[in-house]
Amino acid sequence: MKLPTIKGFDEAAFNKYLKNTGWLMFGKMLSLIVGLIVARYLGPSSFGDLNFGLAIVTILAAVGALGLDTFIIREIIQEPAKRDEILGTSLWLRIITYASLIPIAVGIYWVSHQLSESPGKPLTLMVGLLALAYFFKSFNVIDAYFQSQVQSKYVVHIQNICLIISAVLKITVVSLGLPLIYIVLTFVFDGLILALGLILVYQKRGFNIFKWTYNKARAKSLLKQSSPLILSAVMVSIYMKIDVIMLKSVGSKAVGIYSAAANLSEAWYFIPVAIVTSVFPALVNARKTDYDRYIKRLGNLYDLLTFICLPVAIIISFTANLIIHILYSNRYEGAGAMLSIHIWSGIFVFLGSASSQYLIAEGYTKISFYRTAAGAIVNILLNLWLIPKYAGIGASIATLVACFVSTFYLLLIPKTRQQGIMMLKSLFLVTAFQKIFKR
């Protein structure tokens, strides 16, 4: 059966999107391999501590991004002459926010550590350093610019160079048998060199970051537009990472075993992001010129993402124990069952990524917030119930249900119900069979 494509896109352009995805795949595969090496080296307890710190910082860092990426892309497409103002304003907004989140992250961890009934060893320095690593993500506004020009390949090349340097550094730390804090320092270095790399590629393309300007009116406009997405991003981070934080009550080892499964399950989430990000400018343009074609392209996008993720979920469900044994030997016993459940969350993440672009294009940012809030609430409530009984298995079930609720929340809203139905048809291969029988 022929793999569905997003009909209506220029074939050469779509090949370019696939090529960019290939480069992203190389980078993600390298990160996955290095992550496996680090996980085997640290063992469940230390690996659990690392992922616990990352979970705290990731949730807070969702605020630092300010939900600006998509709006930067849209603003630059609509007002290309205002590029320096848009990028400069966005950069300063992020720098201020990320800088303020460093002491906040440390403070939240310190308070929770003091109140914990079984605190374990303090991780204050680790949390502070991980928050510092996220500060350098302020310069990801440059990535947003290249996305707006459908030139992500420049950023992907820089990311891969930085990943190779980072991989060498992490493997060196493991080879020397250095403690966890040195692994954490490599995360800080990763953030720094990527920021420098983005600046370098921007300058080499004939632009000048020093010409960027800050405009107060532009800042207010961007924040007003993106404020619902800030809350949405926080909610997404909560329902993707709160399970790790809540599992800490069971112990660092439980966090480590669950993280080993979850990290494998989430390793391919870059695929929908890469595809959806690449086609978003074309979707926006189609909406302006031919609304029916725009809706048809969304349906084809849902079909494509389903055809990518459904076979993977089925195969991994039946081979999860073998995969965990091969990758981790016997150090992460129990992670296989968690992986076989958690992998199905990817289907809803894939479809949710595509429908999020629809919500943004239509200006339904409040709905975007409500659906992620629903997912976060469901995840927290299920974790409170399931983690004490089933530990990591319970957390996996909670994540799966939360992702389903968040994605198909659109069915509850009359003006977005049609999109929810389109996703259901893609999920159950209805549109695929319709295309087959039409032939």
Side-chain angles (χ1 to χ4, degrees):
M1 186 164 56
K2 187 178 179 181
L3 186 70
T5 58
I6 307 174
K7 294 181 180 179
F9 288 115
D10 177 74
E11 187 176 348
F14 191 68
N15 287 336
K16 182 166 64 175
Y17 301 148
L18 292 178
K19 185 177 180 181
N20 289 344
T21 303
W23 280 110
L24 278 171
M25 186 175 294
F26 165 77
K28 293 298 181 180
M29 287 301 297
L30 180 60
S31 294
L32 176 61
I33 292 169
V34 173
L36 292 172
I37 293 171
V38 170
R40 288 180 67 114
Y41 169 68
L42 291 177
S45 293
S46 293
F47 190 59
D49 287 337
L50 175 61
N51 280 275
F52 173 70
L54 285 170
I56 292 176
V57 174
T58 299
I59 291 173
L60 290 174
V63 178
L66 296 174
L68 289 177
D69 282 350
T70 301
F71 291 101
I72 294 171
I73 295 169
R74 193 179 72 179
E75 295 281 300
I76 291 175
I77 292 173
Q78 293 176 348
E79 299 181 83
K82 297 287 187 179
R83 178 194 64 220
D84 291 343
E85 178 186 296
I86 295 166
L87 293 175
T89 302
S90 302
L91 175 65
W92 279 108
L93 287 173
R94 282 188 169 176
I95 284 176
I96 293 168
T97 308
Y98 274 123
S100 64
L101 288 175
I102 296 174
I104 292 173
V106 173
I108 290 174
Y109 168 73
W110 186 84
V111 170
S112 65
H113 182 73
Q114 296 301 314
L115 296 176
S116 176
E117 294 181 3
S118 53
K121 60 184 179 182
L123 305 172
T124 310
L125 177 60
M126 182 186 76
V127 171
L129 288 172
L130 290 173
L132 175 61
Y134 271 85
F135 168 80
F136 297 111
K137 289 184 177 289
S138 303
F139 291 90
N140 281 6
V141 296
I142 296 174
D143 184 9
Y145 168 73
F146 283 112
Q147 288 179 33
S148 73
Q149 307 302 301
V150 197
Q151 295 178 346
S152 296
K153 64 180 182 180
Y154 301 113
V155 174
V156 172
H157 292 162
I158 287 295
Q159 288 174 336
N160 286 338
I161 291 170
C162 293
L163 279 171
I164 292 170
I165 296 172
S166 172
V168 172
L169 191 59
K170 286 184 173 67
I171 292 171
T172 301
V173 170
V174 170
S175 299
L176 295 175
L178 299 175
L180 173 61
I181 196 64
Y182 286 89
I183 297 289
V184 174
L185 286 171
T186 65
F187 282 87
V188 179
F189 181 75
D190 293 349
L192 174 60
I193 60 171
L194 180 56
L196 293 174
L198 289 172
I199 294 171
L200 179 63
V201 74
Y202 185 79
Q203 298 288 118
K204 283 201 166 187
R205 292 299 300 166
F207 308 117
N208 190 348
I209 194 173
F210 297 104
K211 289 184 178 180
W212 289 4
T213 58
Y214 176 84
N215 183 286
K216 188 175 180 181
R218 176 76 65 178
K220 288 182 178 179
S221 174
L222 285 170
L223 289 175
K224 184 178 180 180
Q225 293 178 75
S226 67
S227 55
L229 289 186
I230 298 173
L231 295 174
S232 295
V234 172
M235 291 300 173
V236 169
S237 297
I238 287 174
Y239 86 71
M240 295 302 291
K241 295 297 180 182
I242 196 64
D243 39 16
V244 172
I245 294 175
M246 296 178 76
L247 262 175
K248 191 69 163 65
S249 62
V250 181
S252 294
K253 184 176 180 180
V255 175
I257 293 172
Y258 174 76
S259 296
N263 289 353
L264 285 176
S265 176
E266 296 167 5
W268 63 325
Y269 286 4
F270 75 93
I271 294 177
V273 174
I275 294 174
V276 170
T277 299
S278 293
V279 303
F280 181 66
L283 283 172
V284 171
N285 289 329
R287 188 183 181 279
K288 293 178 183 177
T289 58
D290 189 339
Y291 192 81
D292 289 337
R293 184 173 61 171
Y294 158 69
I295 295 297
K296 188 175 181 180
R297 287 181 178 182
L298 280 169
N300 286 323
L301 179 58
Y302 297 146
D303 288 345
L304 175 63
L305 294 175
T306 300
F307 267 77
I308 292 172
C309 66
L310 192 58
V312 175
I314 293 171
I315 292 169
I316 291 182
S317 290
F318 288 103
T319 59
N321 285 322
L322 177 62
I323 291 171
I324 292 295
H325 177 72
I326 291 172
L327 296 179
Y328 298 112
S329 188
N330 296 320
R331 301 198 70 185
Y332 289 84
E333 189 176 350
M338 300 173 199
L339 176 60
S340 65
I341 297 169
H342 200 290
I343 192 66
W344 288 93
S345 303
I347 294 177
F348 307 116
V349 171
F350 273 48
L351 293 174
S353 295
S355 58
S356 291
Q357 301 306 308
Y358 160 78
L359 294 176
I360 291 168
E362 297 296 322
Y364 297 154
T365 50
K366 287 186 178 179
I367 295 176
S368 181
F369 166 69
Y370 293 145
R371 78 169 186 168
T372 49
I377 291 169
V378 167
N379 201 13
I380 291 171
L381 292 176
L382 287 177
N383 277 322
L384 286 171
W385 174 40
L386 295 173
I387 285 178
K389 293 183 177 181
Y390 308 109
I393 294 288
S396 301
I397 295 170
T399 297
L400 174 59
V401 175
C403 289
F404 171 83
V405 169
S406 178
T407 298
F408 287 101
Y409 178 84
L410 299 188
L411 290 168
L412 303 178
I413 311 298
K415 57 187 176 183
T416 62
R417 187 167 295 146
Q418 186 58 36
Q419 289 295 309
I421 293 171
M422 286 170 62
M423 288 191 290
L424 278 177
K425 286 182 176 179
S426 294
L427 179 62
F428 290 102
L429 306 180
V430 173
T431 51
F433 284 116
Q434 286 175 341
K435 290 174 184 176
I436 291 171
F437 288 118
K438 276 184 181 179
R439 295 171 186 172

